[in-house]
Amino acid sequence: MTDIQFNEQQAEAISHREGPMVVLSVAGSGKTLVLTERIIRLIENGVNPSRLLAITFAKKAVLEIQSRIKKRLNGSGSKALVCTFHSLGFRILKSEDPETIGFRLVHDAEQEEVVSEAMKMVDSEHDPPDLMRKISLAKNDLVSPQDLEASKKEENQQLAKVYRAYELLKRRARLLDFDDLLYLPYRLLTSNEDILEHYQRRFQHILIDEFQDSSRVMVEMVRLLSRSHRNIWVAGDDDQTIHGFRGARSDIFISFAKDYGDGKTITMSHNYRSTGNIIEAANHLIHRNKKRVPKQMVTDNEDGPEVLVLQGENETGEADIIAKTILELSNQGYHFGEMAILARLYRIMPLIEGALIRKGIPYNSFAEFFYDRQDIRTAIAVMRHLLAGGSGASLNQEFLSAIRDDLYAPHEILTLKSAFSIAFAYTMRLRQKTFLDE
């Protein structure tokens, strides 16, 4: 047994017996903990662990759930399958589709090359990354090249040509893209009743975390797998949908309630993570969302500091305000390591990093953003040395002088453009020199 005291809504979600259930769970309400506890409760009540399927969207969450189950049940729940949607799809393909044996998953750069080659085959002059995105959305929405060809829109018919050529080139090279791990298993389940029945018998209880981020292909796959027993339990919050770029829809819970009319819905509205002022600000913003299930977050936590809204004239202005605010907090006694910056869009991170660098603020990032790359840092060091009197201690001065003399006369005054040219040449030649030295 666990020492955790669950509130009334959490306890109801955990103890639900059979049939469909929707757990609308606001941020910080403990939905992953509740899902894990429900798995444990089902096993303790006699459900065979191998008949349980739990799906979440992050590998970290998978490992967390698996660890909790193992610790609580002393390893007896290890046969419960806890995985991501794509991992489930890969398992099905590997076990049931001999045609995909020997295929490998294509990486992003290679996928763009295949799309570009497909465009040449059909004389398309569109942007390859944009077509990659559209093909991905089509697969997540279960749209085939034939479906697009039947459209009366010229844009869809052109996309269909590239889509079809892209699939042909992938088959020739024995490649699968990330979306194939969902699209192909779904097609397999709909075309082979024996395989479908096998997985319906195997997974008698299906639990899904972060359901709001499910695309149509994910929802339809779950519908197929749960059709015979309808023991489908989903948790999530439509206000937290972040995978719209992959086909997730904010109205997914409304659609689910219509599809499973006899299902039970409960709302876990208690936030245990945030302060009262943060909850109030979030509620004020969230209630403006369209196509949402009405809910209101509550908390017993203290109000905490007020939420400040800082607005710049543009994205560069916002980045400068962030850097300025961090310096002000530092002057008040806060350490840089106690601060974090979250950005909704990847493309503004270089602007924020640039502002931090200009203000001399040290930082770490959880991904290789623009200014984290070694070649970019080297180029910046060169430009600082040439234009701003930087020490250039980390630079190969003899190598740099040779490049400067090669590109510009000694008497020429360096401009930003010429300094950039030297920095670029230095970085590229240094990379080539390092490669040859190795």
Side-chain angles (χ1 to χ4, degrees), residues 10-27:
Q10 290 174 326
E12 185 176 2
I14 292 168
S15 61
H16 177 70
R17 302 292 277 183
E18 295 184 335
M21 168 171 270
V22 174
V23 182
L24 295 170
S25 40
V26 303

Side-chain angles (χ1 to χ4, degrees), residues 102-317:
F103 277 64
R104 65 177 177 84
L105 197 62
V106 64
H107 54 76
D108 289 345
E110 188 178 11
Q111 184 181 9
E112 185 172 336
E113 291 176 3
V114 178
V115 170
S116 297
E117 185 64 27
M119 292 170 57
K120 292 179 182 177
M121 289 175 62
V122 298
D123 296 324
S124 173
E125 297 181 355
H126 290 81
D127 179 44
D130 183 53
L131 290 183
M132 280 175 57
R133 180 185 63 83
K134 289 180 178 178
I135 291 173
S136 175
L137 287 174
K139 288 186 178 182
N140 276 278
D141 209 27
L142 293 175
V143 176
S144 67
Q146 295 92 322
D147 296 327
L148 292 170
E149 287 169 348
S151 171
K152 295 182 179 179
K153 294 183 178 179
E154 177 66 22
E155 179 185 0
N156 288 343
Q157 293 176 2
Q158 291 299 317
L159 176 61
K161 294 179 181 179
V162 178
Y163 188 173
R164 186 180 291 280
Y166 168 70
E167 293 300 312
L168 174 63
L169 291 173
K170 282 203 295 102
R171 285 197 301 274
R172 288 176 179 174
R174 303 188 70 77
L175 298 174
L176 295 175
D177 62 34
F178 197 57
D179 302 305
D180 287 332
L181 300 183
L182 298 174
Y183 186 79
L184 295 181
Y186 172 79
R187 294 299 185 193
L188 186 63
L189 293 173
T190 55
S191 63
N192 192 312
E193 193 67 26
D194 291 338
I195 294 177
L196 175 59
E197 289 179 0
H198 165 74
Y199 286 99
Q200 288 175 336
R201 289 192 301 269
R202 178 179 174 184
F203 301 127
Q204 291 294 304
H205 285 270
I206 301 175
L207 304 89
I208 305 176
D209 195 11
E210 306 291 0
F211 187 62
Q212 74 276 357
D213 291 325
S214 303
S215 61
R216 183 187 172 193
V217 64
M218 298 174 185
V219 173
E220 294 300 326
M221 188 183 299
V222 169
R223 194 195 312 276
L224 285 173
L225 294 175
S226 64
R227 188 171 62 191
S228 61
H229 52 72
R230 293 170 59 80
N231 291 327
I232 174 71
W233 185 100
V234 301
D237 182 5
D238 53 341
D239 293 326
Q240 298 183 60
T241 302
I242 61 172
H243 284 176
F245 66 97
R246 284 186 180 159
R249 307 186 317 277
S250 60
D251 63 346
I252 189 169
F253 286 102
I254 297 174
S255 300
F256 187 91
K258 292 179 181 178
D259 294 337
Y260 296 88
D262 59 336
K264 189 168 186 178
T265 299
I266 63 171
T267 301
M268 299 196 315
S269 58
H270 203 109
N271 181 298
Y272 293 92
R273 183 189 303 152
S274 305
T275 62
N277 282 327
I278 290 176
I279 296 300
E280 183 180 0
N283 281 332
H284 182 72
L285 289 174
I286 290 172
H287 89 276
R288 301 173 185 272
N289 287 5
K290 299 177 181 179
K291 294 183 180 180
R292 67 183 292 262
V293 180
K295 68 189 85 65
Q296 188 86 352
M297 281 189 291
V298 297
T299 186
D300 294 330
N301 295 337
E302 60 183 19
D303 288 343
E306 292 185 356
V307 177
L308 301 180
V309 179
L310 306 174
Q311 184 174 354
E313 294 183 0
N314 49 41
E315 292 176 345
T316 302

Side-chain angles (χ1 to χ4, degrees), residues 84-108:
T84 64
F85 265 111
H86 291 87
S87 176
L88 174 64
F90 177 75
R91 288 168 182 264
I92 293 175
L93 284 179
K94 186 177 179 181
S95 298
E96 310 296 343
D97 190 356
E99 292 187 5
T100 59
I101 294 176
F103 277 64
R104 65 177 177 84
L105 197 62
V106 64
H107 54 76
D108 289 345

Side-chain angles (χ1 to χ4, degrees), residues 42 52 118 161 260 267 286 327 380 403 430:
L42 287 170
L52 294 175
K161 294 179 181 179
Y260 296 88
T267 301
I286 290 172
L327 285 180
I380 291 173
I403 292 174
L430 184 64

